């Protein structure tokens, strides 16, 4: 599924942060499950490192630390509560050890307070102006809204862009909920999905590839929802696979809608779809066999899990 699903790898040739984000989120999920099942200092450190590096790739992925790393450590019920707290602390400290040097470097070199990057101002002003609050462009971003360059260093420019964006938001409070829902809908391809075919051409993606990705995406999304149901019915640990989609949804609501922003959640869709597909296959095999043996049924269930 991962090999043929375009939206998982379509950004790789563009040298953008999404490739690293997909890899690091996958590693964070892997080590998160390992920490829950076989808690150890090594697993906690690897989970913390994956979350910290993911945050350096895309700033919103720092939310993996409180939403994935800490809960994974605290839900490792095979060990006493005090040790769970220590494992959570290890994950947080390792994440901080990777992120803090970059933050300190930024704080020291920019005129205005800067932590991960200066892109927040551009993202906010581009997604909070008239052309993306009303009409066919609702929920997108428009770099024409930046206006003339303030001509400060990047942190000064970013601060001025933020102030202008918040001023616009304050003047259009009655529209913010609709716009936020449009952003989420665009990211998850449930609101004007075909717009993204043309929009992605501007970022260097082939039109046919984006269109093909849409046809792959909808059946995959349906299977992924089925995968959540399968895990829930098995009483398996399903919640880590919903953390990246949650982060994607929240960050889209705060900025703008773009299928590229969904990349951190794409590995979750692939895994959940695979779970549903193997469960359907096991059910088909069980229904088609005249007298299935208990041992074979156990093996199929085990492999699908």
């Amino acid at each position: 599924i991962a090999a043929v699903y375009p939206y998982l790898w379509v950004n790789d040739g563009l040298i953008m942060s999404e490739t690293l984000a997909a890899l690091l989120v996958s590693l964070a999920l892997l080590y998160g499950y390992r920490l829950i099942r076989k808690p150890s200092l090594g697993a906690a450190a690897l989970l913390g490192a994956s979350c910290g590096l993911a945050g350096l790739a895309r700033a919103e992925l720092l939310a993996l630390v409180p939403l994935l790393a800490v809960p994974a450590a605290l839900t490792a019920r095979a060990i006493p509560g005090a040790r769970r707290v220590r494992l959570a602390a290890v994950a947080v400290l390792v994440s901080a050890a990777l992120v803090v040097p970059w933050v300190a470097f930024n704080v020291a070199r920019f005129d205005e307070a800067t932590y991960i990057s200066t892109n927040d101002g551009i993202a906010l002003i581009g997604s909070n102006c008239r052309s993306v609050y009303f009409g066919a462009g609702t929920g997108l971003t428009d770099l024409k809204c930046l206006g003339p360059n303030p001509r400060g260093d990047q942190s000064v420019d970013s601060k001025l862009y933020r102030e202008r964006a918040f001023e616009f938001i304050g003047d259009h409070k009655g529209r913010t909920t609709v716009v936020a829902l449009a952003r989420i809908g665009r990211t998850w391809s449930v609101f004007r999905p075909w717009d993204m075919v043309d929009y992605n051409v501007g970022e260097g993606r082939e039109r046919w590839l984006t269109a093909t990705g849409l046809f792959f995406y909808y059946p995959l999304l349906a299977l992924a929802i089925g995968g959540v149901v399968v895990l829930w019915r098995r009483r398996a640990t399903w919640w880590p696979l919903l953390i990246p989609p949650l982060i994607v949804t929240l960050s889209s609501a705060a900025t703008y809608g773009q299928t590229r922003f969904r990349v951190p959640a794409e590995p979750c869709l692939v895994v959940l779809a695979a779970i549903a597909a193997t469960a359907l296959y096991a059910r088909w095999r069980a229904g088609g066999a005249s007298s299935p043996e208990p041992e074979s049924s156990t093996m199929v269930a085990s492999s699908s899990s």
Side-chain angles (χ1 to χ4, degrees):
I1 296 174
V4 300
Y5 178 44
Y7 283 162
L8 186 63
W9 42 259
V10 67
N11 302 289
D12 291 358
L14 304 181
I15 318 179
M16 300 176 97
S17 62
E18 279 69 28
T19 298
L20 283 173
L23 170 64
L24 292 166
V25 166
S26 299
L27 289 174
L29 290 169
L30 175 66
Y31 295 128
Y33 271 106
R34 183 174 297 179
L35 181 60
I36 292 170
R37 294 172 178 173
K38 296 181 180 180
S40 67
L41 288 174
L46 288 169
L47 174 55
S50 300
C51 294
L53 291 173
L56 291 175
R58 291 198 62 86
E60 70 270 17
L61 293 179
L62 279 176
L64 287 169
V65 178
L67 295 180
L68 176 63
V70 172
L74 297 180
T75 55
R77 297 183 179 179
I79 57 175
R83 191 180 172 200
R84 284 183 244 162
V85 173
R86 286 197 294 271
L87 292 179
V90 167
V92 172
L93 289 173
V94 171
S95 296
L98 291 170
V99 175
V100 166
W102 177 249
V103 172
F105 178 50
N106 284 335
V107 169
R109 68 188 174 130
F110 285 110
D111 292 338
E112 296 291 338
T114 300
Y115 305 105
I116 299 296
S117 78
T118 58
N119 284 344
D120 56 332
I122 294 176
L124 285 171
I125 189 61
S127 56
N128 291 282
C129 59
R130 180 162 293 277
S131 61
V132 294
Y133 262 54
F134 303 93
T138 301
L140 290 172
T141 188
D142 186 358
L143 294 183
K144 294 178 182 177
C145 297
L146 269 64
N149 192 317
R151 298 190 179 278
D153 81 347
Q154 290 177 323
S155 68
V156 174
D157 292 356
S158 184
K159 179 183 178 182
L160 293 173
Y161 289 146
R162 285 197 305 270
E163 291 173 350
R164 284 166 48 191
F166 290 138
E167 181 179 354
F168 184 88
I169 293 171
D171 293 339
H172 298 83
K173 292 179 181 178
R175 188 68 179 166
T176 53
T177 300
V178 172
V179 172
L181 291 174
R183 293 166 178 169
I184 295 170
R186 287 189 182 277
T187 295
W188 290 103
S189 298
V190 294
F191 174 65
R192 300 180 63 97
W194 207 252
D195 288 358
M196 208 53 61
V197 176
D198 293 326
Y199 191 87
N200 280 344
V201 171
E203 290 190 344
R205 300 171 191 82
E206 296 287 345
R207 184 185 305 273
W208 69 267
L209 196 52
T210 301
T212 303
L214 276 174
F215 288 107
F216 274 87
Y217 167 71
Y218 294 113
L220 193 73
L221 179 63
L223 278 173
I225 294 171
V228 175
V229 174
V230 169
L231 291 178
W232 177 73
R233 292 181 65 180
R234 291 177 182 172
R235 297 183 180 179
T237 305
W238 51 268
W239 64 265
L241 290 166
L242 298 187
I243 297 303
L246 174 63
I247 294 173
V248 165
T249 300
L250 294 176
S251 62
S252 295
T255 53
Y256 62 95
Q258 160 66 293
T259 52
R260 171 166 59 89
F261 293 166
R262 201 174 66 220
V263 168
E266 302 288 13
C268 304
L269 298 185
V270 170
V271 171
L272 288 168
I275 290 169
T278 52
L280 288 171
Y281 177 72
R283 186 171 183 176
W284 174 78
R285 284 288 302 271
S290 55
S291 56
E293 298 179 2
E295 292 81 7
S296 64
S297 298
T298 302
M299 288 178 64
V300 171
S302 175
S303 66
S304 67
S305 65

